[in-house]
């Protein structure tokens, strides 16, 4: 049992809290050995081998976002967290179809790192509870050809994780991820 030990104040941020997300990095969950975490955030991601890595996914500008909903049962006090990353790929391609098939076929799941427009990196999909990994997975991939010539031709993907811990900021995220892609 813990006690509340701090509050939160609002500071002048000069626009450093811009909305939206940009990049998403995904790795096969069975190729991530560990994520080193502390109260300050995650500081390292260790892969199972030098051949294992994260893959970078870009999305249409200002089309991606990350949501995280924490729910607590008022009787049992059990907490669950649902994390969703949604983004749009423009111009549907055969290559996109193959990527979606690979993501959908991930029996072991995925570990995700996303970059928000604030410049912060967040890692999620790596938590183990009671010996069971709770990875991220492809939830949906909706492709749309559009109707009129001015309609977007696109695919919207959603990666979801159901866990009991919120995402953690990845300290020095750009450096950590540069070594893992």
């Amino acid at each position: 049992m813990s006690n509340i030990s701090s509050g939160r104040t609002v500071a002048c941020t000069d626009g450093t809290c811009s909305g939206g997300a940009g990049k998403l990095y995904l790795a096969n969950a069975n190729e991530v050995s560990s994520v080193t975490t502390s109260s300050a955030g995650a500081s390292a991601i260790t892969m199972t081998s030098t051949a294992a890595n994260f893959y970078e996914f870009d999305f249409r500008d200002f089309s991606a976002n990350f949501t995280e909903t924490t729910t607590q049962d008022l009787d049992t006090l059990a907490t669950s967290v649902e994390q969703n990353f949604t983004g749009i790929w423009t111009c549907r391609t055969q290559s996109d179809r193959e990527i979606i098939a690979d993501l959908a076929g991930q029996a072991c799941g995925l570990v995700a790192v996303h970059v928000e427009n604030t410049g912060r990196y967040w890692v999620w999909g790596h938590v183990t509870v009671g010996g069971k990994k709770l990875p991220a997975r492809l939830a949906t991939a909706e492709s749309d050809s559009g109707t009129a010539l001015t309609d977007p031709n696109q695919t919207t993907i959603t990666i979801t994780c159901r866990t009991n811990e919120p995402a953690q900021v990845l300290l020095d995220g750009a450096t950590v991820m540069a070594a893992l892609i």
Side-chain angles (χ1 to χ4, degrees):
M1 179 120 312
S2 65
N3 294 315
I4 189 167
S5 59
S6 67
R8 182 180 191 277
T9 59
V10 175
C12 296
T13 59
D14 253 356
T16 58
C17 294
S18 301
K23 292 187 185 301
L24 177 67
Y25 298 91
L26 296 172
N28 299 309
N30 61 332
E31 294 182 338
V32 175
S33 293
S34 65
V35 177
T36 305
T37 61
S38 70
S39 61
S43 57
I45 300 173
T46 305
M47 306 302 282
T48 58
S49 75
T50 55
N53 59 352
F54 276 80
Y55 297 92
E56 182 179 320
F57 296 85
D58 288 319
F59 298 87
R60 187 178 76 209
D61 288 347
F62 309 111
S63 75
N65 77 316
F66 175 77
T67 61
E68 185 170 67
T69 304
T70 301
T71 305
Q72 184 176 43
D73 184 288
L74 298 177
D75 297 320
T76 66
L77 302 182
T79 302
S80 66
V81 178
E82 183 167 309
Q83 299 155 329
N84 290 291
F85 183 97
T86 302
I88 297 173
W89 294 334
T90 54
C91 299
R92 299 175 322 118
T93 67
Q94 180 66 21
S95 176
D96 291 344
R97 181 214 175 277
E98 299 303 323
I99 291 169
I100 291 165
D102 287 344
L103 292 173
Q106 281 300 317
C108 292
L110 305 159
V111 173
V113 174
H114 74 272
V115 185
E116 294 183 355
N117 289 338
T118 60
R120 289 186 191 95
Y121 288 65
W122 295 87
V123 59
W124 46 286
H126 62 87
V127 175
T128 300
V129 176
K132 178 172 175 39
K133 285 189 174 190
L134 301 175
R137 298 187 185 281
L138 175 71
T140 61
E142 181 181 344
S143 295
D144 183 354
S145 68
T147 304
L149 286 173
T150 56
D151 290 346
N153 178 311
Q154 64 189 24
T155 299
T156 303
I157 69 158
T158 300
I159 305 292
T160 297
C161 182
R162 291 187 181 128
T163 184
N164 66 349
E165 288 187 28
Q168 286 201 307
V169 68
L170 181 58
L171 305 168
D172 200 16
T175 302
V176 171
M177 294 313 298
L180 299 174
I181 55 173

